[in-house]
Amino acid sequence: ILSDILSSYTYLHNGPRLLEPSLTSFLTTKEAALTSILAKRWRNLVAFVPCLTIDDSVFLHPEKGKQVKEDVKQSFMDFVDRVLALQGNSPLKKFSLKCDTVADTDRLDGWISSVLARGLSDLDLKIILHNRKIPGDHYQLSPKCFECSTLVSLSIDSWIDVTLAAARIFLPMLKKLVLVWVKVCPDEFETLLHALPSLEELVLARVIWKGTDVTVSSASLKTLTIMFCFWLNTLSFDTPSLVHFKYSGLVAPDYPVVNMGNLVDAQIDLFLRDNDEDAHRYSKVWKLFHGIRNVPNLSLFTDTLEVLSVCSELMRVFNNIKSLTIKSGNDLGWQATPAILRNCPHLETLVIKGIVHHVTDKCGDICGCISREGKGLSLKLCPVKVMKIHGFQGTMQEMAMIKHFLEYLPCLKEMEVYAEENNNPIQLGTKHVLEMFELYNKLSSCNVQLFI
Ligand SMILES: *[C@@H]1O[C@H](CO)[C@@H](O)[C@H](O)[C@H]1NC(C)=O
């Protein structure tokens, strides 16, 4: 037992994270008598720990799927109480609590309040209540989480209902807010953002909005990541200081305000529903692209190209784009790609992740899949100097595309081709493929390199 404690002790003094599973599980699964014997030692260990990480999955779920017994849950809660009591009021920097099985939300609220009062800068909660009295009901987060003068980073994850008392929000130092799979009312969310003068980074992942019209409005926000955004009617951004923007989700019927004129990079990953044939649904998506038109570095993923093909005639000129990344797949068409390239008059770097795509009659212009009049026209006008191709598999179809790009891009100086990570080295390394690369290098004025 002592050696167990001592090895944890060594770890505690070397690493930034505290209460590693070995230590927590050891102490919670042994009898109280044992703990009291070691209490003095334990006190010394825990009292000055500046970062507390408590994860119940280590010792509450020895066998997956098995119901956790009431007394085990009780002992977990007692354990947390004991740790917090041992620490007293000593300063705490970070508190991270992951628990799947807390029955007593009053105690949970108590823990949160007590750590927030200790100069905390980083609070990370991941809480799933299995024992909810009403099925489907969410844990109502303690409003105390939004009243802390020292908090810099707040992360709230999973099945939590964030209901805010607007008048009580006081987080003057908060720089980073992460909301994952939580329930939020759009109006309260807007009020919250306005009450955060220092906010720089916001992550909204799988948020369950209690309404259909959402506005992200913050004068200070620099980095915004929205993941899996579903079922909204309107989505607005009033974020004039935004620098980095990542957005994935279903296309919203309207984007009334998109104020992000200082963007440096944007990554747009729009999804289509299977029955989303109706082009009318996307008639306003151009507003989103209009709002980000000054961005120098743009990435368009998966369905976004298809969405743009519907409104490509409405595409605005991206005068500032220097770097464009396109990610596609076997089942996606490239209809919009010619229009996009024509609308980027200052493009310098084109990155393509996966050049194998679904051949349609409208993509022939850029890819040469189909022979047609005016072949390669969009490429001939494109000023790209550097091209990077990722996910190369060594097929003849890809080789033909590469040749096509080399033939038609007039300013191309560098082409870097990267093999797919789980590549088939035999196929890639065949003499034939290597010979073709050598030949392309000789025939064009561009430096073509293959990275296997
Ligand atoms: C463009 O932005 C992406 C992130 O979206 C980043 O990974 C990439 O390095 C940036 N490219 C350039 C040329 O700045």
Side-chain angles (χ1 to χ4, degrees):
I1 290 161
L2 270 179
S3 81
D4 219 359
I5 283 278
L6 285 174
S7 66
S8 302
Y9 184 77
T10 316
Y11 180 81
L12 301 185
H13 280 258
N14 291 334
R17 264 164 51 97
L18 250 281
L19 285 182
E20 270 306 289
S22 64
L23 185 57
T24 48
S25 55
F26 166 72
L27 280 162
T28 48
T29 50
K30 301 296 168 191
E31 292 303 316
L34 244 185
T35 320
S36 70
I37 295 169
L38 297 167
K40 207 168 166 204
R41 186 88 202 207
W42 184 213
R43 223 186 332 260
N44 293 337
L45 284 178
V46 170
F48 302 106
V49 163
C51 302
L52 217 46
T53 300
I54 298 178
D55 182 348
D56 75 354
S57 61
V58 184
F59 60 96
L60 287 189
H61 309 290
E63 286 163 61
K64 238 189 149 107
K66 213 173 159 191
Q67 274 287 330
V68 177
K69 284 203 213 97
E70 207 49 51
D71 59 333
V72 180
K73 285 182 213 164
Q74 200 59 42
S75 100
F76 169 70
M77 291 193 289
D78 291 347
F79 166 71
V80 179
D81 277 347
R82 212 154 56 223
V83 170
L84 292 179
L86 279 169
Q87 289 212 318
N89 291 324
S90 65
L92 189 63
K93 258 190 173 151
K94 178 173 175 167
F95 183 65
S96 171
L97 178 66
K98 292 194 173 60
C99 54
D100 269 9
T101 324
V102 164
D104 187 342
T105 55
D106 289 343
R107 260 162 108 173
L108 189 57
D109 289 351
W111 301 337
I112 293 171
S113 299
S114 85
V115 294
L116 283 171
R118 292 165 53 194
L120 200 72
S121 66
D122 197 332
L123 178 62
D124 183 357
L125 298 175
K126 186 168 182 162
I127 294 160
I128 299 171
L129 295 181
H130 283 303
N131 287 46
R132 282 160 282 154
K133 292 203 181 75
I134 311 156
D137 198 18
H138 288 56
Y139 162 54
Q140 197 90 35
L141 187 67
S142 161
K144 284 264 163 50
C145 279
F146 297 96
E147 288 172 67
C148 178
S149 61
T150 54
L151 210 58
V152 175
S153 172
L154 173 61
S155 173
I156 305 169
D157 191 342
S158 283
W159 230 246
I160 295 177
D161 190 332
V162 181
T163 297
L164 299 155
R168 290 175 58 182
I169 298 167
F170 182 66
L171 293 166
M173 304 276 280
L174 197 75
K175 278 206 172 100
K176 180 174 177 179
L177 176 64
V178 179
L179 300 177
V180 182
W181 219 311
V182 297
K183 251 175 134 174
V184 192
C185 164
D187 289 342
E188 290 178 357
F189 172 71
E190 217 178 321
T191 310
L192 170 67
L193 289 196
H194 284 154
L196 304 176
S198 310
L199 192 69
E200 288 183 5
E201 185 174 355
L202 176 64
V203 177
L204 303 170
R206 298 177 188 272
V207 169
I208 305 157
W209 296 104
K210 291 192 250 178
T212 55
D213 301 287
V214 170
T215 299
V216 180
S217 171
S218 164
S220 55
L221 197 65
K222 292 203 170 75
T223 304
L224 173 61
T225 304
I226 299 182
M227 282 157 69
F228 300 104
C229 184
F230 295 126
W231 320 122
L232 292 182
N233 249 333
T234 67
L235 181 55
S236 289
F237 304 95
D238 188 8
T239 48
S241 310
L242 203 66
V243 179
H244 309 289
F245 177 48
K246 266 189 201 175
Y247 172 50
S248 86
L250 282 176
V251 180
D254 198 4
Y255 298 87
V257 177
V258 183
N259 174 13
M260 40 174 92
N262 288 307
L263 270 192
V264 170
D265 51 68
Q267 182 179 305
I268 311 289
D269 188 358
L270 298 173
F271 312 153
L272 296 181
R273 276 174 288 190
D274 287 344
N275 57 359
D276 263 352
E277 302 280 292
D278 183 6
H280 182 69
R281 283 189 53 83
Y282 320 127
S283 61
K284 287 176 179 160
V285 76
W286 67 267
K287 288 186 181 177
L288 176 65
F289 288 92
H290 183 71
I292 63 170
R293 69 194 177 284
N294 290 324
V295 73
N297 175 5
L298 177 65
S299 302
L300 303 174
F301 286 3
T302 53
D303 291 348
T304 313
L305 291 176
E306 304 240 327
V307 173
L308 277 175
S309 72
V310 174
C311 63
S312 58
E313 61 283 358
L314 296 169
M315 279 257 321
R316 294 308 194 255
V317 173
F318 287 100
N319 258 318
N320 286 348
I321 287 196
K322 296 215 162 54
S323 172
L324 175 69
T325 301
I326 290 172
K327 187 172 168 187
S328 69
N330 292 343
D331 52 342
L332 294 165
W334 272 20
Q335 295 96 311
T337 323
I340 295 168
L341 291 185
R342 277 199 301 273
N343 281 296
C344 300
H346 300 111
L347 193 63
E348 289 173 5
T349 305
L350 177 61
V351 182
I352 298 187
K353 300 190 169 176
I355 52 174
V356 178
H357 59 277
H358 183 60
V359 178
T360 68
D361 59 346
K362 288 187 193 127
C363 66
D365 176 50
I366 126 152
C367 64
C369 303
I370 291 165
S371 70
R372 44 139 59 194
E373 231 178 283
K375 190 175 162 189
L377 198 62
S378 317
L379 297 183
K380 278 182 188 157
L381 302 172
C382 180
V384 159
K385 293 190 189 72
V386 178
M387 199 170 167
K388 297 178 188 183
I389 295 171
H390 293 266
F392 179 69
Q393 295 168 12
T395 62
M396 285 305 115
Q397 191 193 350
E398 290 171 289
M399 291 309 292
M401 296 262 299
I402 288 171
K403 180 162 171 278
H404 181 77
F405 285 125
L406 289 170
E407 261 171 29
Y408 287 96
L409 286 169
C411 309
L412 200 64
K413 291 279 166 294
E414 284 288 333
M415 182 187 274
E416 298 168 11
V417 180
Y418 296 88
E420 194 181 39
E421 267 175 38
N422 306 316
N423 63 45
N424 175 351
I426 295 165
Q427 190 177 8
L428 282 168
T430 54
K431 233 174 118 201
H432 190 55
V433 169
L434 298 177
E435 271 172 12
M436 278 173 90
F437 269 95
E438 227 168 87
L439 185 68
Y440 290 171
N441 240 323
K442 276 201 198 113
L443 293 180
S444 76
S445 56
C446 172
N447 179 28
V448 187
Q449 285 176 280
L450 173 65
F451 299 89
I452 298 183

